[in-house]
Amino acid sequence: MQALLTVAIPTYNRPDPLRHTLDILTASSSEEFEILICDDSSDLRVQVVVEGYQARFSNIRFVRNPSNLGFNANVAKLYELAQTPYVWFLCDDDTIFEDSVPKITSTLKKYEPTVSIFNCSWVNSYGVESVAGVKADRVFDCLDQFDSYDVLMRMTFLSILVYRKDDRALNIIKSTPNFKDNVFVQLTLGLRLLSQNFKLCESAQYILHRNVGYKYGEFYKFILLDPLKAVFEVPNSFDGEKFIRW
């Protein structure tokens, strides 16, 4: 049976959160997913943790970069190395739920999207636990169905994204002069994928709890400048002025 999904985990010097994530993922006996971990040249603690799981589970691949690529390039490398029809990007410090993979694979089979965005919980800047997402599944088959670009900007959060594998889009992005400085490379990739084959699903399934957020002083960079840079990094089918207004 060919796996449908790669759980693609970029990691750097966080062996304990990674161990917790692998405990949850390996509790499933499903053959529908593979685990791909790309260690961005951290110390050997991460490798030791992963090798312990590899000795017991055959669906785990591990790659250690010989030098530090940076977060965005490491994410791009995971997408490039994945060998399944879909890729779920999962940060090593977010807390996934035990039924996350079945929720994702059932959504992919039902809608066959190019891009799928899932729900999550998180603690906002005021210390209040909140939820982010939709109450019912929504599927967009064309750009004209958008009354707002809010949903597209959700692609700045890596761990709720599942993308169809298409190396054409990634090759275009990697050829740009600003590729290494693109903090939200997943946003650029998502917009390019949708420009090539438009089918976007917002799933009402909750798959994880987000453990990090932005501090007040980082707002200008991470909520304004970097997303706009990612939007305009490569040509796409979307209206740039709508992103600016958003």
Side-chain angles (χ1 to χ4, degrees):
M1 178 180 179
Q2 181 184 4
L4 176 66
L5 177 71
T6 293
V7 183
I9 306 174
T11 190
Y12 181 73
N13 275 341
R14 280 198 284 246
D16 292 333
L18 179 62
R19 183 183 291 108
H20 178 69
T21 297
L22 290 176
D23 281 342
I24 296 173
L25 289 173
T26 55
S28 171
S29 59
S30 172
E31 297 179 355
E32 292 190 299
F33 74 101
E34 299 174 348
I35 302 168
L36 174 62
I37 302 162
C38 200
D39 174 17
D40 203 13
S41 194
S42 54
D43 58 47
L44 292 179
R45 291 177 300 159
V46 168
Q47 183 171 336
V48 170
V49 166
V50 175
E51 287 177 346
Y53 288 89
Q54 285 181 307
R56 293 175 285 147
F57 303 98
S58 60
N59 65 335
I60 301 174
R61 282 198 293 153
F62 177 74
V63 176
R64 186 174 187 271
N65 298 330
S67 60
N68 187 275
L69 300 181
F71 180 76
N72 57 322
N74 202 30
V75 169
K77 185 172 182 178
L78 282 162
Y79 186 79
E80 188 172 33
L81 292 175
Q83 299 174 348
T84 56
Y86 286 97
V87 181
W88 173 24
F89 297 109
L90 176 60
C91 292
D92 62 358
D93 57 349
D94 288 315
T95 302
I96 62 172
F97 304 142
E98 292 182 359
D99 56 354
S100 293
V101 170
K103 287 179 176 178
I104 291 172
T105 55
S106 64
T107 298
L108 299 178
K109 292 175 184 178
K110 182 176 182 178
Y111 299 114
E112 298 182 343
T114 300
V115 170
S116 192
I117 305 173
F118 290 83
N119 287 357
C120 68
S121 58
W122 65 301
V123 177
N124 68 21
S125 301
Y126 302 97
V128 178
E129 184 161 341
S130 305
V131 295
V134 293
K135 295 182 179 179
D137 293 352
R138 300 197 300 177
V139 178
F140 302 90
D141 294 306
C142 68
L143 188 55
D144 294 339
Q145 293 176 319
F146 278 104
D147 55 0
S148 167
Y149 275 9
D150 290 12
V151 56
L152 299 173
M153 300 308 287
R154 291 185 65 203
M155 287 191 282
T156 57
F157 179 30
L158 188 71
S159 294
I160 59 173
L161 303 177
V162 178
Y163 288 172
R164 183 181 290 276
K165 181 72 186 294
D166 188 336
D167 287 329
R168 294 174 299 168
L170 182 63
N171 291 336
I172 292 171
I173 294 168
K174 288 178 65 178
S175 68
T176 61
N178 297 318
F179 166 66
K180 292 185 177 180
D181 297 321
N182 187 352
V183 175
F184 294 117
V185 67
Q186 73 272 12
L187 174 57
T188 306
L189 178 60
L191 296 180
R192 185 64 200 180
L193 288 170
L194 291 170
S195 297
Q196 295 174 182
N197 182 18
F198 200 100
K199 192 167 187 182
L200 171 66
C201 171
E202 269 195 297
S203 172
Q205 301 283 358
Y206 283 87
I207 62 171
L208 58 84
H209 180 80
R210 182 177 185 173
N211 289 322
V212 295
Y214 299 125
K215 297 178 182 178
Y216 178 78
E218 297 171 328
F219 178 87
Y220 183 70
K221 173 178 170 59
F222 287 108
I223 305 298
L224 181 61
L225 289 183
D226 286 337
L228 285 178
K229 286 165 59 178
V231 164
F232 290 102
E233 182 69 9
V234 297
N236 58 65
S237 301
F238 299 88
D239 186 338
E241 291 187 3
K242 286 187 177 181
F243 280 114
I244 292 172
R245 285 198 296 272
W246 185 92

